[in-house]
Amino acid sequence: MDGKTPHSARRGKDAAYHHGDLRQALLNAASELLATEGLEAVGIREIARRAGVSHAAPYRHYPNRDALLADLAAAGFERLGRRFAQLPDADAADRRLVDMARGYVRFARDEPQAWRLMFGDAIDKTAYPALLQVSRDVFEGLRRTVLALGVAAPAITETTAAWAMAHGIAQLVLDHRLDAHLDVTIDPDELVREAAVIFLAGLRRTRENP
């Protein structure tokens, strides 16, 4: 025996998946592969092998690799959105902003490969409406917090600035830039808090001196 699954057995397993189950099995396999081996390792054939289905089975849901990556990125945005939704209730919008920024950086540290896929240029989000929508939903959650700070609507620039603050810290942490360029150890959570204090002070000055 060579340890490979016979084609007949794989066809049987393909048929055993109910509608939707195959897609989730493929996403689970892709997510594991992304987390352990990185984006370059994520391919249709390898995902099919890990899911235990035929090489043709993934094409029932994904016409190409980019379509699968788009679904994988969308799942990442959903997890990030749930993380924000599960944050404890804050008694003030500024506290909520700090918690969201910390949650964003922690997500990047917990799932670095997924984070890079979600915010990188490996796929064109505009070609995948579901991915574009879920990413905008996460942004909208941050915008509501910024509006609660007293910023005038639509607050797109201010929200993007808040996102850039957290994103920049996440990028520095993942790229080990803090360790490489500083002689002191900086806790990412504390760095987020300090950056948020500066950001909030800037918002106040802008409102006072438009």
Side-chain angles (χ1 to χ4, degrees):
M1 299 293 290
D2 60 5
K4 297 180 179 179
T5 304
H7 288 298
S8 59
R10 286 193 177 184
R11 284 196 297 271
K13 190 165 185 178
D14 294 352
Y17 283 107
H18 297 291
H19 181 69
D21 292 348
L22 174 59
R23 176 180 171 274
Q24 190 58 54
L26 294 169
L27 280 177
N28 290 344
S31 182
E32 179 183 352
L33 187 60
L34 177 67
T36 57
E37 299 188 31
L39 180 59
E40 293 302 318
V42 179
I44 295 287
R45 289 177 66 88
E46 177 59 19
I47 289 167
R49 187 188 70 79
R50 289 188 174 223
V53 298
S54 69
H55 293 156
Y59 293 100
R60 299 177 189 176
H61 294 282
Y62 302 110
N64 52 48
R65 179 175 181 266
D66 279 358
L68 187 145
L69 292 180
D71 240 9
L72 198 57
F77 277 108
E78 289 170 357
R79 292 194 300 277
L80 179 59
R82 287 196 297 271
R83 186 172 292 217
F84 287 158
Q86 292 166 0
L87 289 172
D89 291 336
D91 55 3
D94 54 355
R95 179 62 191 174
R96 171 74 178 176
L97 180 71
V98 173
D99 288 345
M100 291 185 77
R102 281 178 169 165
Y104 185 89
V105 175
R106 287 172 182 172
F107 178 86
R109 297 175 73 188
D110 292 342
E111 301 192 42
Q113 296 293 347
W115 185 84
R116 292 186 190 279
L117 172 63
M118 291 158 57
F119 296 102
D121 59 0
I123 46 179
D124 177 11
K125 290 185 181 65
T126 61
Y128 299 96
L131 169 58
L132 189 60
Q133 185 59 56
V134 72
S135 67
R136 287 175 172 173
D137 288 344
V138 172
F139 183 85
E140 178 61 18
L142 177 59
R143 191 177 77 92
R144 288 195 296 269
T145 297
V146 172
L147 286 170
L149 292 167
V151 176
I156 299 298
T157 299
E158 294 86 349
T159 304
T160 303
W163 170 32
M165 172 196 68
H167 190 86
I169 294 173
Q171 191 76 61
L172 288 171
V173 171
L174 292 192
D175 291 346
H176 304 287
R177 297 301 183 189
L178 298 179
D179 299 336
H181 296 293
L182 300 176
D183 294 328
V184 296
T185 300
I186 296 181
D187 177 71
D189 279 352
E190 182 62 19
L191 180 58
V192 169
R193 191 190 72 80
E194 292 294 336
V197 167
I198 295 169
F199 173 78
L200 291 166
L203 280 184
R204 284 193 293 272
R205 284 196 299 272
T206 300
R207 290 201 304 273
E208 293 167 1
N209 303 285

